Amino acid sequence: MNLKLKPAVSDGETFFDLAQAPLRELNAALHKLTADTNETHWKVFNPAGRHAVAAGLDAPVTVEIDGPVGYYCAGMNKQARVIINGNAGVGVGENMMSGFVHVKGDASQSAGATAHGGLLVVDGNASARCGISMKGIDIVVKGSVGHMSAFMAQAGTLTVLGDAGEALGDSLYEAKLFVRGSVAGLGADCIEKEMREEHKALLAAKLEAAGILGEVDISEFRRYGSARTLYHFHVDNVSSY
């Protein structure tokens, strides 16, 4: 497919081949989209691990990327649906505000870092620091997450169908963590909490949003949250800061 420097349009879809046109052209075209655009479905070919693909979007469009991406794909996303048919590098969905990001593979470190809203779904595993400093995003990982996931997580939810690595929820604030598998270790101020009916309902809503409600038994999950002992500095806790 030879698209030169302009996207091709067919049957309401816009195609962009990164083997033929630079990434700068793609992102510039996506950034020009407005809420009333009729170019609502973009397909991107040959990403070849490039960084910042479809970053900074702010329009209700769908961008489907056919292949693996590098750092910060769909970073700062607002409104858009970004589907990655492959693996994603560091910081996928970083600082996203709203919308939906779906990684149909594995995600590297810091998936969903600092994100304020929206939904991030990872079909495979997510590496270390998944959801670090998350501020309202919902993250669903169908596989396992690495160490220090949800470090300093302030708000939102992290749902893990597999296992979690060491120091889960270290220095956690008010984010809610649900893990179906084993947890290698909890971080400072993170404790297991009772799974009440309202938490089961919340978890069910996140699984439904991810399209997997009914595929797993909600009773198999455990809930983790903040013990709230590190909110204010106290000399007795100095070794935990």
Side-chain angles (χ1 to χ4, degrees):
M1 184 182 296
N2 186 2
L3 305 185
K4 301 299 182 183
L5 295 182
K6 295 195 297 183
V9 180
S10 175
D11 297 327
E13 294 183 326
T14 305
F15 300 94
F16 203 103
D17 189 347
L18 287 173
Q20 299 293 330
L23 175 61
R24 183 184 296 273
E25 295 286 340
L26 170 65
N27 283 342
L30 292 172
H31 292 166
K32 291 178 181 178
L33 299 176
T34 59
D36 59 352
T37 181
N38 59 4
E39 296 178 275
T40 57
H41 194 168
W42 289 62
K43 288 191 174 181
V44 179
F45 300 95
N46 298 307
R50 289 176 175 84
H51 304 319
V53 178
L57 303 190
D58 189 8
V61 298
T62 296
V63 179
E64 187 172 357
I65 304 166
D66 189 22
V69 293
Y71 294 2
Y72 304 118
C73 180
M76 301 178 290
N77 185 58
K78 292 174 69 175
Q79 303 189 67
R81 293 172 55 88
V82 180
I83 314 299
I84 302 161
N85 294 317
N87 299 327
V90 173
V92 62
E94 183 265 347
N95 204 38
M96 66 184 286
M97 298 294 172
S98 62
F100 175 60
V101 177
H102 188 179
V103 181
K104 295 188 175 182
D106 296 323
S108 187
Q109 298 184 51
S110 303
T114 73
H116 290 249
L119 173 64
L120 169 64
V121 176
V122 179
D123 283 357
N125 301 312
S127 189
R129 301 175 183 85
C130 178
I132 181 174
S133 195
M134 54 192 279
K135 298 175 173 66
I137 188 176
D138 293 310
I139 302 175
V140 177
V141 179
K142 297 180 184 179
S144 299
V145 296
H147 65 273
M148 296 291 286
S149 288
F151 171 56
M152 292 187 67
Q154 297 165 39
T157 63
L158 171 62
T159 300
V160 182
L161 275 62
D163 303 324
E166 292 282 357
L168 175 70
D170 189 85
S171 303
L172 186 69
Y173 288 83
E174 291 304 307
K176 296 176 175 61
L177 316 181
F178 301 99
V179 181
R180 182 169 171 242
S182 63
V183 175
L186 297 176
D189 214 36
C190 183
I191 60 174
E192 184 174 353
K193 293 191 169 185
E194 180 185 1
M195 188 78 157
R196 299 192 297 269
E197 289 304 315
E198 63 264 34
H199 303 122
K200 293 179 182 178
L202 175 64
L203 174 58
K206 304 312 173 186
L207 294 175
E208 182 176 24
I212 54 175
L213 182 63
E215 295 183 15
V216 291
D217 188 346
I218 288 177
S219 67
E220 296 177 351
F221 287 83
R222 290 177 291 170
R223 180 173 75 98
Y224 301 90
S226 174
R228 299 175 178 146
T229 59
L230 298 181
Y231 274 20
H232 304 287
F233 179 81
H234 193 285
V235 68
D236 291 344
N237 298 325
V238 68
S239 63
S240 296
Y241 292 102

